[in-house]
């Protein structure tokens, strides 16, 4: 990655807080079967890394389980605490997690692993997990096999910056074992306003020049007015791996 691309990635990674409300309104939850595949039922201490407004965290609640959310953005943490006032949320990143060694059974990172520096985050996650603990990475990806979603994707790609495309899963290696993958197809019912919020809360939209941002939102609005979708089809892409015992 060039220095300019790195700067852009850093700017986008830090951009979410200003659109935390739109994020909470427009971004999808995670389907229960994907959550069950990613997080073992018996996991007692679960860390949600890059928790944002808690979209995944709320699906991780289980009797007797301790949940800790780690999130760098003050705006996202504020929104998180409004939605999940009883869950502990701490300031931190994948590269610097403010939790003791060997203190978590599972660490899950939804829609955020592409923002970390894996060279520093892999050993940091390994430090926080207990031996045999699990790291799970999750992304909701728009299902572009549906024609109107492919059209939306084409519009967004006219504005998207490339670094957000790299999931960096292949950079998860020792002391972790092999990485397994499973995809889950589902649809999220949503209104036109929620769909517009989903678009407006994307990092590359937040960081666009105002005129380009308006242009993009106008193009999306025209597509939505023509197609009148009532749901957004997603594929939830899940990866899991275990720390050597
Ligand atoms: C697309 S949001 C995902 C939020 C939430 N996990 C979800 O599924 O809705 C990405 C989040 O990653 C956070 N983030 C950015 N850089 C990070 C880093 N280096 N380590 C951990 N989280 C980071 C952002 O602040 C933002 O809240």
């Amino acid at each position: 990655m060039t220095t300019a691309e790195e700067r852009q990635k850093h700017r986008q990674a830090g951009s979410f807080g200003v659109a935390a409300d739109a994020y909470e309104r427009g971004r999808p939850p995670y389907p229960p079967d994907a959550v069950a595949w990613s997080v073992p039922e018996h996991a007692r201490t679960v860390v949600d890394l890059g928790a944002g407004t808690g979209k995944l965290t709320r699906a991780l609640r289980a009797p007797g389980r301790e949940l800790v959310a780690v999130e760098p953005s003050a705006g996202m943490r504020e929104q998180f605490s409004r939605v999940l006032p009883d869950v502990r949320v701490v300031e931190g990143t994948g590269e610097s997690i403010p939790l003791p060694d060997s203190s978590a059974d599972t660490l899950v990172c939804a829609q955020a692993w592409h923002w970390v520096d894996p060279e520093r985050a892999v050993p940091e996650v390994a430090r926080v997990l207990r031996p045999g603990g699990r790291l799970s990475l999750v992304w909701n990806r728009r299902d572009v096999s549906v024609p109107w979603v492919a059209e939306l994707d084409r519009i967004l790609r006219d504005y998207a910056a490339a670094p957000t495309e790299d999931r960096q899963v292949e950079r998860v290696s020792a002391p972790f074992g092999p990485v397994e993958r499973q995809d889950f197809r589902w649809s999220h019912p949503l209104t036109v306003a929620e769909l517009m919020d989903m678009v407006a809360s994307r990092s590359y939209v937040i960081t666009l020049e105002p005129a380009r941002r308006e242009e993009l939102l106008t193009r999306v609005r025209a597509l939505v007015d023509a197609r009148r979708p009532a749901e957004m089809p997603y594929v939830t892409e899940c990866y899991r791996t275990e720390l050597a015992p």
Side-chain angles (χ1 to χ4, degrees):
M1 202 184 288
T2 65
T3 315
E5 283 168 344
E6 261 171 28
R7 231 181 286 123
Q8 174 66 1
K9 179 175 173 177
H10 190 255
R11 204 162 85 83
Q12 287 187 358
S15 71
F16 289 98
V18 297
D21 287 355
Y23 195 102
E24 175 56 21
R25 287 192 303 266
R27 291 295 188 104
Y30 294 91
D33 45 357
V35 176
W37 188 87
S38 302
V39 180
E41 208 178 335
H42 61 263
R44 293 277 63 96
T45 307
V46 176
V47 177
D48 184 357
L49 175 66
T53 66
K55 287 277 168 185
L56 174 67
T57 326
R58 57 201 87 172
L60 298 174
R61 290 166 180 279
R65 177 176 286 171
E66 188 198 350
L67 273 179
V68 185
V70 177
E71 167 56 46
S73 155
M76 295 299 250
R77 288 199 305 278
E78 212 175 285
Q79 184 72 36
F80 182 103
S81 295
R82 265 198 289 272
V83 181
L84 295 167
D86 55 333
V87 179
R88 186 176 154 213
V89 55
V90 295
E91 179 177 1
T93 61
E95 298 82 357
S96 176
I97 304 171
L99 297 174
D101 295 0
S102 304
S103 57
D105 299 309
T106 296
L107 183 144
V108 58
C109 182
Q111 218 81 18
W113 188 256
H114 51 283
W115 295 123
V116 307
D117 170 3
E119 236 165 79
R120 292 190 293 144
V122 169
E124 182 62 349
V125 172
R127 179 189 69 75
V128 166
L129 284 174
R130 297 198 174 101
R134 179 179 296 179
L135 165 63
S136 294
L137 308 176
V138 180
W139 283 270
N140 275 328
R141 167 163 56 80
R142 291 182 301 278
D143 185 354
V144 291
S145 67
V146 178
W148 80 264
V149 182
E151 242 178 285
L152 172 66
D153 210 60
R154 273 194 296 277
I155 297 175
L156 294 178
R157 273 171 197 283
D158 284 347
Y159 301 84
T164 56
E165 296 292 303
D166 182 4
R167 302 243 190 274
Q168 313 193 115
V169 175
E170 71 294 342
R171 295 179 68 188
V172 178
S173 54
F176 288 95
V179 178
E180 288 177 79
R181 174 177 175 171
Q182 179 109 16
D183 288 356
F184 299 85
R185 280 205 142 67
W186 64 291
S187 278
H188 180 220
L190 84 183
T191 63
V192 168
E194 286 165 344
L195 196 151
M196 295 307 294
D197 279 332
M198 185 276 289
V199 172
S201 69
R202 309 214 77 87
S203 59
Y204 52 83
V205 178
I206 299 167
T207 53
L208 276 178
E209 292 298 318
R212 291 267 294 158
R213 189 168 183 278
E214 266 322 295
E215 184 188 296
L216 176 149
L217 293 175
T218 304
R219 285 179 65 189
V220 173
R221 185 71 210 211
L223 170 69
V224 169
D225 285 346
R227 299 303 181 104
R228 294 263 147 225
E231 55 182 29
M232 174 62 76
Y234 282 105
V235 177
T236 301
E237 224 179 277
C238 301
Y239 302 84
R240 65 184 185 191
T241 180
E242 261 141 42
L243 192 60

